[in-house]
Amino acid sequence: MSIYILAIESSCDDTSAAVIKDGIVLSNIVANQSVHEQYGGVVPELASRAHQQNIVPVVDTALKKAGVEKQQLSAIAFTLGPGLIGSLLVGTCFAKAMALALDIPIITVNHMKAHVLAHFIDDPKPPFPFLCLTVSGGHTQIVKITDYLEMEVVGETIDDAAGEAFDKIAKMLGLPYPGGPLVDKHAKLGNPKAFQFPQPKSHGEFNFSFSGLKTSVLYFLQKQMAADPDFIKNNLNDLCASVQYTIVKILMKKLKKAAHHYEIYDVAIAGGVSANSALRAAIEKLGTSGGWKTYIPQFQYCTDNAGMIAITAHHQYLAQDFAEQSVTPMARFKI
Ligand code: KG4
Ligand code: ZN
């Protein structure tokens, strides 16, 4: 008999639902929340309210697009954490209620594990073991994966996440939230060597730090703007290209170090920042010039999506890893 799972993702500011049949994603619907743009970041209270409005139509559309009836479902999966508690609660309550009504089990999924397992939605799929650089708005991790559900974080940021660095620096440049994709867009027209920003000193073998870069960009901009109030406006593309160049350099340095240490040359990237064109190009270059095998997800599976929750839930279903109805969301949830 086939395994059909409905998966729900609501950890931050995207409401998403996906349907998976025997490990094949049939639908992946994402509703973004534009309400946060004007505030320069995600407002938790507004995010949970928007999830509450979006969740029914998003789930309905995912089921319709997949051509699957509720009664066919074998289980309902949802993101348990990490994330914003108010946002997570919407997905959790919805999934529990639906599973109760249908008398089917629930599967709780770790959002960070799911970013990694997004690589098992499409071909080519990485072999075990492989390393994954997971770079999102809330996390920056190097993960060593030995099996679908067996993974270990071997390095992470000690302060800001890479996506956070993109977004906060974008805000300094006057760009709306989320700034990462806009920095990427402007960087395409700029010179990455126009301005030099410092890279952090070592913070442990495979750990990252981005707060120093953020501060140095801030001081640099303050100094330049005092002399020329149009400095940002006149140099936006070069500033974006130089910041992006530095962030990608910091990420690649530690990823390469970890690969050499573990002698693992199957390397993947995941999370929202893996949509960044310079990071994708740097990873591709490792593959062409370094002879490494590299894995880059489709754009729809980089930023938050329920497809990645669905593929993770599929493997948890095979392992009979179900949760109790009494389970509650976790703002912090280690891999
Ligand atoms: O994985 P994700 O959707 O949400 C979290 O789990 O945090 O990642 C969102 C992050 C944001 O910081 C956003 O600015 C960044 O991913 N991002 C990008 C790009 N697309 C999304 N950063 C740089 N370049 C991009 N093209
Ligand atoms: Zn994410």
Side-chain angles (χ1 to χ4, degrees):
M1 216 167 87
S2 287
I3 305 167
Y4 288 94
I5 301 171
L6 167 70
I8 293 165
E9 154 64 31
S10 72
S11 64
C12 190
D13 61 339
D14 294 311
T15 318
S16 182
V19 177
I20 191 166
K21 178 190 177 190
D22 297 327
I24 309 290
V25 174
L26 302 178
S27 63
N28 179 44
I29 306 298
V30 184
N32 304 118
Q33 302 179 358
S34 55
V35 63
H36 308 287
E37 269 168 30
Q38 56 186 307
Y39 299 101
V42 176
V43 183
E45 167 81 19
L46 297 178
S48 31
R49 283 171 190 269
H51 282 307
Q52 197 70 259
Q53 286 169 335
N54 292 342
I55 194 139
V56 170
V58 165
V59 167
D60 267 351
T61 312
L63 284 166
K64 269 198 198 97
K65 189 160 178 225
V68 170
E69 297 294 332
K70 289 194 270 295
Q71 289 71 20
Q72 287 176 272
L73 295 172
S74 322
I76 301 190
F78 58 95
T79 305
L80 191 70
L84 302 169
I85 280 293
S87 291
L88 290 164
L89 268 169
V90 177
T92 302
C93 293
F94 184 92
K96 280 191 195 183
M98 191 164 168
L100 209 54
L102 294 168
D103 195 21
I104 53 176
I106 51 171
I107 298 173
T108 54
V109 174
N110 180 305
H111 180 90
M112 299 312 293
K113 251 188 195 170
H115 268 303
V116 172
L117 291 185
H119 283 282
F120 293 94
I121 296 175
D122 293 317
D123 287 329
K125 299 180 174 79
F128 300 116
F130 69 99
L131 289 180
C132 185
L133 171 69
T134 313
V135 269
S136 70
H139 294 82
T140 298
Q141 301 178 330
I142 297 178
V143 187
K144 186 174 149 225
I145 302 99
T146 44
D147 207 338
Y148 293 110
L149 303 172
E150 297 292 322
M151 51 184 91
E152 178 195 357
V153 176
V154 297
E156 60 193 328
T157 182
I158 58 158
D159 42 53
D160 293 349
E164 200 178 349
F166 268 109
D167 296 339
K168 286 182 176 167
I169 294 173
K171 194 174 174 187
M172 291 175 206
L173 298 173
L175 300 171
Y177 177 86
L182 294 167
V183 171
D184 192 354
K185 191 174 139 210
H186 286 286
K188 289 197 174 104
L189 306 169
N191 172 10
K193 305 265 175 75
F195 306 106
Q196 259 99 51
F197 297 113
Q199 290 180 41
K201 298 201 181 64
S202 186
H203 291 278
E205 259 200 312
F206 312 125
N207 286 343
F208 303 94
S209 167
F210 291 100
S211 71
L213 171 66
K214 187 182 62 186
T215 313
S216 80
V217 173
L218 177 68
Y219 289 160
F220 174 77
L221 291 176
Q222 283 173 345
K223 200 170 150 203
Q224 299 299 323
M225 293 293 279
D228 170 12
D230 287 331
F231 179 77
I232 292 179
K233 203 172 94 197
N234 293 337
N235 295 279
L236 186 60
N237 295 339
D238 284 349
L239 283 164
C240 288
S242 303
V243 165
Q244 178 171 286
Y245 174 81
T246 313
I247 294 176
V248 170
K249 213 150 181 201
I250 295 169
L251 292 170
M252 293 305 292
K253 193 172 155 190
K254 290 297 173 93
L255 180 60
K256 282 186 203 164
K257 201 172 169 189
H260 288 308
H261 176 85
Y262 291 104
E263 295 182 352
I264 297 177
Y265 300 103
D266 282 280
V267 174
I269 51 171
V273 181
S274 65
N276 182 267
S277 58
L279 181 60
R280 293 169 88 93
I283 288 283
E284 260 165 25
K285 197 168 152 212
L286 273 184
T288 47
S289 64
W292 298 19
K293 291 244 168 62
T294 56
Y295 304 87
I296 303 177
Q298 266 190 56
F299 281 111
Q300 65 164 324
Y301 299 126
C302 289
T303 45
D304 289 349
N305 67 90
M308 68 185 196
I309 306 300
I311 190 75
T312 310
H314 174 75
H315 289 285
Q316 288 184 230
Y317 188 99
L318 295 178
Q320 297 282 290
D321 178 11
F322 302 116
E324 299 290 332
Q325 269 280 341
S326 56
V327 72
T328 55
M330 293 165 71
R332 290 173 185 276
F333 187 8
K334 285 200 186 302
I335 272 185

